Amino acid sequence: MKPKVLLIEDDPNDVEIFGRILEEEGYEVTSADNVDQGLTLVRNEGNDEGKEFDVVLTDLDLKGPTGREGRELVVELRRSKPHLPVILMTGLPLRSGDPTADIAIDVIQLGAFDYISKALDPREDKTFRADLAEMVDHAVASKQLMAGLQPRPDAATEDKPAADKIVGNSRVMQNVYKEIGRVAATPVTVLVRGETGTGKELVARAIYSHGDRAAQPFIVVNCTAIPENLLESELFGHEQGAFTGANLRRIGRFEQAHCGTIFLDEIGDMDLKLQQKLLRVLQEQTIERVGGKEPIRVDVRIIAATHRNLELAVEENEFRQDLYFRLNVAVISLPPLRERKEDIRDLVEYFIECYGSELALRKQADGTFISMIQHGPKAAIEREAVMCLEAQSWPGNVRELRSVVRKALVLANGYTITTDTVRKALDQARPPSPALQQPFATLVGSVLASAKNGERENVIADLIEVVERELYGEALRRAKGDQSRAARWLGVSRPTMRERLLRYGLHSVRERSTD
Ligand SMILES: Nc1ncnc2c1ncn2[C@@H]1O[C@H](COP(=O)(O)OP(=O)(O)OP(=O)(O)O)[C@@H](O)[C@H]1O
Ligand SMILES: [Mg+2]
């Protein structure tokens, strides 16, 4: 099926020119000559032979009957159709500092997918045509990503929801989708960075499934999970008799991935000797089996991921600088969940949908199960409960959120998830930290040691959380649940107090109070 483009242009000449170009580039085009007509078409999409637009391409400077401009279209569509990417065309070449550039930057900030300046002779200008087609392709890929990839046939489990869908409409995630769109169709090596549980593997899979190697193998190697001495043979294979126990020749992961993609997860944990060999693969596209004499040519696209701070690892001579430079070309950085709290609601609803039907089974007196999804209220969540989730700091990011939602679903037993349920689920997921029971200096020492090993990244945030949780909880306990008094003692405002109590689930402290 051809991707469907809605072209909004008030100049009939341009409608003709751009419409023709887009059709020649393989898109199906519908046109409108002002913002209102464009919006009506978008609103009615689906009525007209299922015509759901994939991309909107609009002039920035429209002079329609109501005088609404491209800018307003972006705002309106962003609100009503957050998944529908809008590309703006500007009349003049953009130079930074001139007002058009300001407008363009402004509309990107409002949520336009991208912008392009019209060429003087668009039909003849090959670069312009190629740029436009590429931009539209990225936008289409980005929309499909947001709408979710096709569910995979394997069943949902604790670690894998049934689909590889990436959920989240925050600005930072929109940028991630754009980046995925940009790199997917190219052969470049991509490095995916981000804290644990931010979705690095999900992104790696999305890059793979949106690229032209999607029909070829996708091989995952977790560099941490395989013992160091075995990793080389795992990656590159070995010849018979290469070492004691190598009774047969073994084909390594790189050879298996030939013509396809290899995902090197936790590459920051690879040992230095192997890093050097990997660098050679990147430079020469050849591998050598352990004990082998001939270099073997491999055509493999590499996607790597790490949660480690590679710059620090380079500084401490734990990661080769030359490999770092090779990898640090196309980088996709996934923001931690606490920096995109606006995604939490969508994620929660998504996880409820993923796990809701699986868990909302009620045992009846006769021992059989009925699904509350069909027979009772559909699993839902109270607004306050979502707010409580939004107030958390999520050191384990999306993975942690998913596990809390799953626990809450079990606790809610098919009924609406309340704030209380969420608190219980949070308590279960994070048993009260024993951290402060040890002397503070010991705590600092152990936290810094694990940071040095790359096991932790947000040392300050983590420690502040430990201290705050203790302070707020203890103050409230001593104030016998009187929040105003506790806030006064701590020197914080009432709103701050309320926010922290929500964040740390300390509302019920008074009931637990013993004095
Ligand atoms: N944006 C998202 N939308 C939906 N699910 C997500 C999203 N991000 C992460 N997840 C889910 O959270 C879990 C963890 O994601 P993933 O394994 O990709 O994280 P990671 O960054 O590779 O973590 P780690 O560094 O611990 O390996 C997965 O089940 C994944 O499906
Ligand atoms: Mg991972």
Side-chain angles (χ1 to χ4, degrees):
M1 254 205 333
K2 289 181 179 177
K4 298 185 177 61
V5 181
L6 173 62
L7 173 66
I8 311 181
E9 245 306 343
D10 54 356
D11 177 345
N13 233 350
D14 279 355
V15 174
E16 157 73 18
I17 292 173
F18 290 111
R20 179 81 60 82
I21 292 179
L22 289 166
E23 273 164 7
E24 284 167 11
E25 297 291 339
Y27 309 108
E28 191 178 304
V29 184
T30 306
S31 57
D33 60 15
N34 62 59
V35 170
D36 301 84
Q37 194 190 354
L39 285 172
T40 311
L41 281 168
V42 171
R43 242 173 253 132
N44 295 341
E45 73 188 6
N47 300 349
D48 179 9
E49 307 150 26
K51 194 170 266 176
E52 183 167 326
F53 297 110
D54 295 299
V55 184
V56 176
L57 181 66
T58 178
D59 194 358
L60 172 63
D61 199 9
L62 293 167
K63 293 175 199 67
T66 52
R68 294 176 78 188
E69 293 182 346
R71 191 178 190 286
E72 288 164 75
L73 178 86
V74 178
V75 178
E76 174 57 29
L77 284 182
R78 174 94 183 137
R79 201 182 50 72
S80 58
K81 292 264 168 188
H83 288 176
L84 181 59
V86 182
I87 298 175
L88 283 146
M89 285 195 292
T90 55
L92 296 166
L94 297 170
R95 286 184 308 273
S96 96
D98 73 27
T100 322
D102 288 343
I103 296 168
I105 292 166
D106 180 38
V107 290
I108 288 286
Q109 280 169 350
L110 287 176
F113 179 77
D114 225 328
Y115 57 82
I116 189 165
S117 43
K118 291 179 188 170
L120 289 176
D121 185 355
R123 208 173 304 168
E124 295 308 314
D125 190 335
K126 289 208 175 72
T127 320
F128 170 80
R129 287 183 66 136
D131 286 350
L132 179 65
E134 196 185 357
M135 202 178 274
V136 175
D137 279 346
H138 289 160
V140 173
S142 157
K143 181 185 176 224
Q144 283 166 357
L145 268 178
M146 281 195 261
L149 307 174
Q150 283 309 304
R152 287 189 312 183
D154 45 357
T157 62
E158 167 75 28
D159 204 56
K160 282 258 164 286
D164 278 337
K165 182 163 149 179
I166 308 181
V167 175
N169 267 324
S170 56
R171 168 141 288 271
V172 272
M173 285 310 287
Q174 302 253 6
N175 281 334
V176 167
Y177 304 141
K178 278 204 213 176
E179 294 299 328
I180 295 173
R182 280 192 190 116
V183 297
T186 72
V188 295
T189 300
V190 182
L191 178 64
V192 188
R193 303 184 66 164
E195 289 178 14
T196 179
T198 43
K200 296 184 291 295
E201 180 160 355
L202 211 54
V203 165
R205 286 183 188 277
I207 295 171
Y208 158 72
S209 56
H210 283 80
D212 48 12
R213 292 177 176 230
Q216 305 293 336
F218 179 76
I219 305 276
V220 181
V221 182
N222 186 320
C223 303
T224 314
I226 301 164
E228 241 164 62
N229 56 340
L230 297 183
L231 187 56
E232 180 175 3
S233 133
E234 176 80 17
L235 287 174
F236 307 123
H238 60 243
E239 293 296 346
Q240 187 179 8
F243 46 85
T244 324
N247 300 328
L248 293 172
R249 164 191 280 179
R250 173 175 180 183
I251 300 299
R253 299 302 216 160
F254 266 94
E255 272 182 89
Q256 285 175 356
H258 185 54
C259 293
T261 306
I262 197 162
F263 174 46
L264 301 175
D265 203 1
E266 304 300 359
I267 196 167
D269 294 339
M270 195 181 261
D271 82 299
L272 285 162
K273 198 174 107 229
L274 217 50
Q275 286 177 26
Q276 187 183 2
K277 299 200 166 160
L278 178 64
L279 182 68
R280 223 186 94 192
V281 182
L282 283 161
Q283 286 167 336
E284 296 169 18
Q285 271 110 49
T286 59
I287 58 136
E288 238 168 66
R289 296 191 193 124
V290 179
K293 294 186 182 58
E294 292 297 309
I296 300 165
R297 196 149 226 18
V298 284
D299 166 20
V300 174
R301 199 245 171 109
I302 299 177
I303 305 177
T306 182
H307 69 280
R308 284 192 70 179
N309 180 336
L310 285 188
E311 291 74 16
L312 202 66
V314 168
E315 231 170 73
E316 302 200 335
N317 293 326
E318 286 168 1
F319 202 82
R320 289 182 67 106
Q321 190 169 36
D322 43 12
L323 180 59
Y324 168 75
F325 284 133
R326 271 269 166 180
L327 289 173
N328 205 37
V329 183
V331 180
I332 298 187
S333 293
L334 288 171
L337 190 56
R338 63 186 164 279
E339 286 172 19
R340 44 175 163 127
K341 295 202 161 175
E342 61 273 38
D343 287 342
I344 288 180
R345 175 176 298 273
D346 289 346
L347 282 163
V348 168
E349 278 166 10
Y350 170 62
F351 292 135
I352 290 180
E353 204 174 295
C354 285
Y355 299 122
S357 51
E358 168 200 347
L359 295 170
L361 294 172
R362 309 204 110 221
K363 202 170 184 180
Q364 300 181 107
D366 64 359
T368 58
F369 287 88
I370 57 161
S371 163
M372 293 304 293
I373 297 291
Q374 281 160 25
H375 299 274
K378 186 170 157 49
I381 182 159
E382 271 180 8
R383 227 172 76 82
E384 287 73 26
V386 176
M387 280 160 61
C388 174
L389 290 169
E390 284 166 348
Q392 308 300 314
S393 60
W394 302 114
N397 295 294
V398 184
R399 179 181 291 116
E400 189 185 9
L401 174 65
R402 188 198 54 193
S403 127
V404 169
V405 172
R406 204 164 191 271
K407 286 199 168 72
L409 276 164
V410 174
L411 292 169
N413 207 13
Y415 292 102
T416 299
I417 299 172
T418 60
T419 318
D420 230 34
T421 327
V422 162
R423 291 233 177 83
K424 283 197 192 109
L426 281 165
D427 278 350
Q428 281 187 11
R430 303 177 190 161
S433 145
L436 275 192
Q437 285 161 16
Q438 46 183 308
F440 196 64
T442 315
L443 174 64
V444 169
S446 74
V447 165
L448 285 179
S450 53
K452 189 161 179 285
N453 295 336
E455 290 156 10
R456 255 178 203 276
E457 280 191 349
N458 300 293
V459 167
I460 294 206
D462 286 357
L463 275 186
I464 288 178
E465 184 174 324
V466 169
V467 173
E468 278 197 345
R469 189 189 290 272
E470 188 72 17
L471 267 174
Y472 281 91
E474 193 53 32
L476 195 60
R477 215 165 286 133
R478 290 178 187 220
K480 298 201 165 52
D482 182 339
Q483 293 185 14
S484 302
R485 264 176 90 199
R488 228 177 17 255
W489 291 345
L490 293 175
V492 297
S493 66
R494 281 296 307 278
T496 305
M497 184 84 200
R498 269 198 303 277
E499 193 274 332
R500 292 300 195 279
L501 297 183
L502 195 62
R503 178 187 304 178
Y504 300 128
L506 295 169
H507 270 91
S508 46
V509 157
R510 192 217 302 247
E511 290 139 44
R512 292 209 296 265
S513 169
T514 45
D515 58 10

